Amino acid sequence: MLLLSLIIAHLLADFYLQTDRMVEDKLRSLQRHILHHLLVNTFILGAGWFLFHQENDPSMTVIWPALFITFTHLIIDLSKIKLIDQYAAREHLNKLWFFILDQLLHFTMLLVAMQLFYGESLFLNVKRFIELLFTEGRQLDAVSTTLVILIILILGTTVSGHIIRILLGSLPGQLLTFEGKYTFKNEITGTTYPENTGNSGLSEQYSYMIFNKHDLSRGKLIGYIERLLVILLTYYGSYPAIAFIVTAKSIARFKQMDDRDWAEYFLLGTLTSMFLGILFGILLRELIH
């Protein structure tokens, strides 16, 4: 249960306690980011000591584990920033792999901390996780089940949204808000200019892009609700109902499908969102069903 709580603490500090500005300039905001992790992990470990480990020395079960997790997090983040700047500054797919590797290393350090300071074998924890996935009849207790559900919900909303943003990259604003194209034609005949004695004229054509300025946070909220619905439908095995979600999104964006760049962007984002929703729905079902 403590390991699950530390995973939630990591996700909260990484994806909820960071502002968009901190994410954009991670190196300059790294001190605040690490402070978030130190405070959240200390709180979780302190609560664990108070509830379950009061017979142990708090320095070995609270202070040193929190410092170890925070220090390793700092090293991993600095390494990721340097490697991305060097090898994947403009490659979105490479950035995605660095992000996934970064998160896996953070989770591994949590397992290492559990082994160093609490005597819980890293390999035994991994074995338990595999058994939960592939062994029938194994069930978690009520508290652990609640924590697993919370982790899956965070992964399926905020973390998945971050993955999609990394994969798609930044889309020009006109494609995000594009509503339609309108063409106007203006003809200037020879009578406009007295010196023109012939019937020749000048024809000008203007193309206008019409945009609808809207709060982009609505798109984020739609993505969250979409993946939550997909996770829920996958958990109950209602796969055909997922098609209705895609249909509803396509109808709402029907006008924008005229633009090929936007249509490809929309398709890639939707397929990625559906894939992650189904993946976490299956994971949730296998862990707690």
Side-chain angles (χ1 to χ4, degrees):
M1 188 171 66
L2 182 59
L3 177 60
L4 295 175
S5 299
L6 287 173
I7 292 175
I8 292 176
H10 166 76
L11 295 174
L12 290 176
D14 245 13
F15 298 98
Y16 287 94
L17 297 181
Q18 289 192 95
T19 63
D20 291 338
R21 182 175 298 180
M22 290 174 64
V23 174
E24 292 173 0
D25 195 351
K26 189 71 172 285
L27 187 58
R28 184 177 297 178
S29 306
L30 195 58
Q31 291 182 350
R32 291 174 58 191
H33 175 63
I34 294 302
L35 180 61
H36 290 161
H37 278 276
L38 178 61
L39 294 176
V40 174
N41 285 314
T42 301
F43 174 79
I44 294 296
L45 292 168
W49 173 83
F50 179 78
L51 294 174
F52 307 108
H53 301 282
Q54 290 191 24
E55 70 279 2
N56 297 330
D57 182 3
S59 64
M60 291 302 297
T61 54
V62 178
I63 299 175
W64 284 111
L67 291 175
F68 173 81
I69 293 171
T70 304
F71 178 75
T72 54
H73 194 103
L74 174 63
I75 297 301
I76 293 171
D77 276 7
L78 286 174
S79 301
K80 184 188 72 170
I81 292 171
K82 183 176 180 179
L83 289 174
I84 286 179
D85 290 340
Q86 186 173 356
Y87 297 106
R90 296 184 180 181
E91 295 291 335
H92 300 307
L93 189 59
N94 288 341
K95 286 184 180 179
L96 177 60
W97 289 119
F98 275 116
F99 170 76
I100 294 175
L101 178 61
D102 169 73
Q103 295 302 313
L104 289 176
L105 288 175
H106 289 319
F107 292 146
T108 301
M109 289 302 102
L110 295 180
L111 292 171
V112 172
M114 294 300 296
Q115 178 167 343
L116 290 177
F117 302 101
Y118 288 89
E120 295 187 13
S121 172
L122 185 154
F123 297 103
L124 184 58
N125 279 320
V126 174
K127 181 181 177 182
R128 289 173 181 170
F129 176 75
I130 295 174
E131 287 177 349
L132 282 173
L133 285 177
F134 300 105
T135 303
E136 296 183 1
R138 294 180 59 88
Q139 294 184 350
L140 295 171
D141 58 81
V143 176
S144 296
T145 299
T146 302
L147 294 176
V148 167
I149 292 174
L150 183 58
I151 291 172
I152 294 297
L153 292 181
I154 295 174
L155 292 175
T157 53
T158 307
V159 179
S160 294
H162 190 71
I163 290 174
I164 293 171
R165 285 195 298 272
I166 293 175
L167 182 61
L168 297 183
S170 58
L171 186 70
Q174 64 267 26
L175 295 183
L176 285 171
T177 58
F178 168 70
E179 289 292 334
K181 291 181 180 179
Y182 295 86
T183 301
F184 301 90
K185 193 173 183 179
N186 180 32
E187 291 188 357
I188 304 175
T189 62
T191 57
T192 306
Y193 303 97
E195 63 272 20
N196 268 347
T197 57
N199 294 325
S200 61
L202 179 64
S203 177
E204 296 178 336
Q205 183 170 298
Y206 303 90
S207 294
Y208 295 91
M209 297 285 288
I210 306 300
F211 308 109
N212 179 23
K213 299 294 183 180
H214 64 299
D215 187 0
L216 297 181
S217 63
R218 287 183 297 175
K220 181 189 295 186
L221 180 60
I222 290 172
Y224 285 4
I225 296 174
E226 168 192 313
R227 287 187 292 277
L228 287 175
L229 287 173
V230 172
I231 290 173
L232 183 63
L233 293 171
T234 302
Y235 178 80
Y236 286 105
S238 303
Y239 296 105
I242 297 176
F244 289 101
I245 301 176
V246 181
T247 303
K249 286 187 64 177
S250 300
I251 292 175
R253 299 292 192 177
F254 182 74
K255 288 184 179 180
Q256 293 170 296
M257 293 300 178
D258 291 338
D259 190 285
R260 179 177 177 180
D261 290 335
W262 194 95
E264 291 177 350
Y265 182 92
F266 173 83
L267 181 61
L268 180 58
T270 300
L271 291 178
T272 306
S273 181
M274 292 294 156
F275 170 76
L276 293 172
I278 293 173
L279 176 65
F280 291 126
I282 294 174
L283 183 61
L284 178 65
R285 184 180 62 197
E286 295 302 320
L287 285 175
I288 70 174
H289 187 58

